[in-house]
Amino acid sequence: MWDGDSETLYVQVGIGAGNDAVRTDHDVWRLPEADDRLDVSPGDPDYTIKHRPVFRAAEPGEGVGASPAGRVAAAFALAARADGR
């Protein structure tokens, strides 16, 4: 996610493997829009499915390392190709 006002890149991630207390993207199959309809609160096993962690890639206005920048560029390239552009 890009915040143009502060020139900050945020990277949202899913947690790969859960346990009995935390269900994750790899533990259950569902449509993405189902995440928005979840009625969860902290401590609920599905909390991290609805509220994925978000990390700031760098301080506002600072350069972003090659790994996050490359991943974002690759995701945008794939989306553009899938959209036929």
Side-chain angles (χ1 to χ4, degrees), residues 38-64:
L38 288 172
D39 183 20
V40 295
S41 56
D44 187 297
D46 289 337
Y47 187 80
T48 56
I49 289 177
K50 182 169 184 173
H51 303 284
R52 286 180 188 84
V54 176
F55 300 96
R56 188 172 58 202
E59 293 295 320
E62 294 294 318
V64 177

Side-chain angles (χ1 to χ4, degrees), residues 2-3 5-10 56-63:
W2 176 251
D3 179 351
D5 293 337
S6 67
E7 297 185 353
T8 304
L9 177 68
Y10 294 93
R56 188 172 58 202
E59 293 295 320
E62 294 294 318

